[in-house]
Amino acid sequence: MAHDRSESTRGKEGPNQPSLEQKEPMLRTKLFVPHIRPKHLARPGLIEKISGGLDKSLILISTPAGFGKTTILAEWAAQADLRVAWLSLDGGDNDPNRFLRYVIAALNNAFAKTEAGICATAQAMLQSVQPLPLQTILVALINDLTDLSEPFALVLDDYQFITSPAVNETMTFILEHLPRQMHLVIASRVDPFLPLHRLRASQRLLEIRTDELRFTEDEIDVFMNKVLELTLSKKDISILSERTEGWIAGLQMAALSMQGIADRSAFVRALSGSHRYILEYLIEEVLNRQTENIQSFLLQTSVLNRLCGPLCDALLEEREDSQSILEHLERSNLFLTPLDEVNCWYRYHHLFGDLLRARLQRAHPERVPGLHLRASRWYEESGLPEEAIQHALAAKELERAARLVEQFALNIMSRGEMASLLRLFEALPEDPALRRPTLDVFYAWALTFSGQFDKAEPQLHEIEKQVQPDEPTREVKEILGSIAIIRGLIADYKGDMASAVELARQADELLPEDKWAERSIISFVMGDGYSATGELDKAEQAFEKIFQAGRKADNPWTVSVALHKLALLKKLQGKMRSVEALYREAIQFASERGGQRYGSMGAAYVGWSDVLRERNELEAAQRMVSQAIEDMERWQNPTDLVNGYVTLARIGLAQGNIDLAGTATEKAEEASRLGEIFPITRLALEACQVRLWLANGDLPKANQWLKEKQLDERPCIPDQRLDFVSELEWISLARVLTAKGEPDGALDLLSHLAEEAETGGRTGRLIEILVLVALASAKSGKREKAVSILKRSLALAEPEGYVRTFLDEGEAMKELLRACSRKTEGSLKAYIDRLLKAFLTAPIEKTVISASPSRPEPLIESLTEREMEVLHLLSAGLSNREIAERLYLSEGTVKTHTHNLYGKLGVQSRTGAIARAKELDII
């Protein structure tokens, strides 16, 4: 099961257990050209072909396993007349940051004797404590590579382990911006997900495939008889060629198996079947030559996806020497791959592991369940729930698996790994004996958060059948209270706020005070209920209760939910600076606990990116929301995903990138079909679609939307008091009326909307409504009124730094702003003039407008209190030693704080840090 291993294991290993952390020293053996065995067959024709292909952008060697890709490249590298940077890839390199760190390390390894600090800028960005956008790092990397003084080749071996779209996109970017002095060579068992068709069409690709790498019969003869000195007959060679089809690994293992066999011809004749079966036969021949002790170890530990000494000891019970055996197997090159550089974690070669498991199942099927059970226990004690559950299921210990899912469900959910949790639930069989109310409640929660209400409600009915409501025990009350608040949340999603609030009140009476997670959802629903009735102060108090509960439980997810809801209230009230402060607080809280990349944090990042969009910091906004969308794929909450794509679409519209806006809107529609979403999210998506249609001049689609919503049949002025949700739909209607040339109808509606928004304290909405009133007035010929109304909107917007609310309205707004500027003085005029200046800037470029003339891009992650102390002392000119003495720290600790704040500030020196801090008004 895929999961973020660094998050699931942080702080969980015992003192004698190896860490699964990814933030360890680099495995340097990945960076060296593999040693060429003395007994190998030289292949000068292939070497010449590779050297001749250096005029291409990419040399691709793509064949199945065992055809000598690594060997031929190692041979070429030893003879090449240019520098060769080598990187052997593995499954852990699917993280783009780790991948780039290793690429840069390989380049440094190749240039170590002549140039120091290869790709220093990109390296510093990767080491930054503050996560930086991948695009920014890649641009820096390409610029660094362009500065290198001589030609070089980067070899990426075993590229088949790369399955991450992000890493493939990284490689595509490098390919498309390849410096002239750089040559890229990839060896893989499968074709990589790179733009090979474009490279072929432009003749920038050299491909070397199976037919060119397989040994010919003559080469088999030379290899077996002259290199390995096996003295096989011509007939034997012909049979080997036919049976192995020139498969080099099969030939090597055949040669290994023939050692000490008198009748080698009989052995050759016994070979049959496809490559897979030949490999199985040969591996078993090799395996059978191991000692009984080693064979037993290999077979029994094959149930593990990864191995370490303590885990193997626990698995085998009677052993205490597993670590030494693993080290022996690695030295013996017996299909064991190290996963770190300190010889803690290993894995078997995938094919070798498969064959060992098959043999174990055939020879000792009775042992398999016990092995999985012991592995499950070890993983549970080590705080690794997913692995513990998987092994429990493999052991057919269903009760144990169910207990573990129940025990760890909240932890997995809090990390934003809803997709993983649902997979675990679905892996549990439909067995009445496994039904347990608390476990089923967690399943209902997971279904609800993923918007699968059609599955959640039947689950709740099943839970009700298992409990006796007339027995008011604590457990029964907890279960009934959980059912009530789950249903309340579902009603909230559906916009049935009366039912939602009533169910929340029922849950409040049933749930004990210490059930903080469930009670936080009560406050969530109650806060939404107060918001719907315009009681924003009470809503704020409810969301503040969630915050307090989350902070007390030290739970980043709950804190981020609370601060996100508070931020949405502040945004509704037009308090954009407060909105940003709340999102900063949420992300800093999560970052300090290692949760900044939790999928459940995506909503906070989306909210902050929308603040950046409003300020016209479009590039930063796009980077942030794109990363958030990627993280939220693990979260599987359709509402959050839709909001992410809607924000991306709004950014695309602001940039003038209609294609991006259209694609993002389509993605939002797809996400909305994954499950139920909040009504306001649905209306926000529709409002975005309306903006897109109007930007494209597509009035027919806008009219069709009016008909489908029956807005063309409603009175121009709503006959009921509006809430902040339904208000969105009427604002979109006003936009369409104005675009259709019906400004007077739009004005009647907008005047009512403005009055409602002002009465309800929704200043954020009022600013937009007044902008639309001004535009409709101008279109209706009421120029003076338009200017007057616009000035009112500007006066509300100026203190909070609104920009895109005005810029998004285009040329008509620019003309009105010019008229306003001529009739305005003081700070408001300066603000208007900055908006006008922003109109002159190309949409794709970053333009910043706020209450002050300029505003630097904000930090993604705030400095800690200690980092602030170090920064102030740096600005005072103190040395590291003096700072250490002043703060009673070691000099090494001061260096660590300095490194961290450099990363967060995006600088590499004291001078840069001080200058950046002054830009941000930090010092």
Side-chain angles (χ1 to χ4, degrees), residues 443-728:
Y443 186 31
W445 275 120
L447 291 170
T448 300
F449 281 122
S450 60
Q452 300 181 57
F453 301 158
D454 56 333
K455 295 182 179 179
E457 186 56 44
Q459 183 72 12
L460 295 175
H461 282 300
E462 288 298 320
I463 299 169
E464 287 175 319
K465 293 177 183 178
Q466 300 175 57
V467 297
Q468 300 296 325
D470 55 343
E471 297 180 9
T473 64
R474 175 187 167 95
E475 182 181 7
V476 168
K477 284 185 175 182
E478 287 181 12
I479 293 168
L480 294 176
S482 295
I483 292 172
I485 193 53
I486 290 172
R487 284 185 170 141
L489 183 59
I490 291 173
D492 188 352
Y493 267 97
K494 293 182 175 180
D496 183 2
M497 296 315 301
S499 297
V501 169
E502 177 57 32
L503 287 162
R505 286 175 176 153
Q506 290 177 24
D508 188 35
E509 294 176 1
L510 291 165
L511 285 167
E513 289 297 325
D514 60 351
K515 302 296 288 184
W516 64 268
E518 292 85 347
R519 296 194 69 82
S520 69
I521 305 301
I522 294 175
S523 298
F524 182 100
V525 172
M526 294 298 294
D528 281 353
Y530 289 130
S531 296
T533 56
E535 299 174 274
L536 301 187
D537 290 342
K538 288 185 178 180
E540 186 171 345
Q541 292 170 15
F543 298 143
E544 181 67 29
K545 285 181 68 175
I546 304 176
F547 172 71
Q548 296 300 335
R551 190 166 66 174
K552 184 176 180 181
D554 205 36
N555 187 282
W557 174 32
T558 306
V559 166
S560 72
V561 167
L563 294 177
H564 175 56
K565 297 297 287 187
L566 287 168
L568 292 179
L569 280 184
K570 297 298 181 185
K571 182 179 179 182
L572 198 62
Q573 296 168 329
K575 300 176 181 179
M576 296 299 287
R577 300 195 186 282
S578 295
V579 172
E580 180 182 17
L582 289 165
Y583 284 128
R584 279 184 181 275
E585 185 177 358
I587 291 167
Q588 181 173 347
F589 186 91
S591 298
E592 290 171 353
R593 290 150 183 82
Q596 66 271 27
R597 292 296 301 274
Y598 286 176
S600 50
M601 288 298 300
Y605 281 106
V606 169
W608 192 354
S609 67
D610 197 53
V611 174
L612 296 176
R613 177 200 62 79
E614 179 57 48
R615 287 181 176 157
N616 210 26
E617 299 177 26
L618 302 180
E619 293 177 4
Q622 184 174 348
R623 288 194 301 268
M624 187 181 289
V625 76
S626 297
Q627 181 63 68
I629 289 170
E630 182 179 327
D631 292 342
M632 287 190 297
E633 292 294 339
R634 301 191 304 273
W635 178 223
Q636 291 288 300
N637 182 288
T639 288
D640 288 350
L641 276 171
V642 171
N643 284 329
Y645 281 118
V646 166
T647 300
L648 182 59
R650 293 288 306 275
I651 293 167
L653 284 171
Q655 293 172 330
N657 188 340
I658 298 298
D659 288 342
L660 172 62
T663 300
T665 304
E666 290 173 5
K667 291 283 189 180
E669 275 286 359
E670 291 174 12
S672 73
R673 291 191 287 271
L674 295 175
E676 297 285 345
I677 62 176
F678 279 110
I680 192 169
T681 302
R682 168 63 64 188
L683 292 178
L685 172 55
E686 292 179 3
C688 183
Q689 290 173 319
V690 168
R691 284 176 176 269
L692 180 59
W693 294 328
L694 297 182
N696 278 328
D698 195 344
L699 278 176
K701 281 190 177 177
N703 279 323
Q704 181 62 31
W705 172 76
L706 290 180
K707 291 179 181 178
E708 290 174 358
K709 301 287 290 185
Q710 298 182 326
L711 289 171
D712 55 338
E713 300 175 5
R714 298 187 194 178
C716 276
I717 298 178
D719 56 4
Q720 78 280 359
R721 185 175 180 182
L722 294 178
D723 57 35
F724 75 103
V725 177
S726 58
E727 193 171 57
L728 268 180

Side-chain angles (χ1 to χ4, degrees), residues 772-784:
L772 297 179
V773 170
L775 291 169
S777 297
K779 197 162 189 177
S780 186
K782 304 168 184 175
R783 187 77 173 179
E784 291 299 320

Side-chain angles (χ1 to χ4, degrees), residues 232-281:
L232 298 177
S233 69
K234 287 289 185 182
K235 185 175 182 180
D236 290 339
I237 295 298
S238 179
I239 293 173
L240 275 176
S241 177
E242 178 184 355
R243 300 285 172 84
T244 65
E245 298 183 35
W247 184 37
I248 300 169
L251 292 165
Q252 290 172 329
M253 285 185 282
L256 178 64
S257 298
M258 279 188 272
Q259 299 292 334
I261 293 179
D263 191 351
R264 292 172 181 168
S265 293
F267 174 85
V268 170
R269 289 193 300 272
L271 290 174
S272 63
S274 66
H275 289 175
R276 175 181 177 184
Y277 298 113
I278 293 171
L279 176 61
E280 182 172 1
Y281 174 82

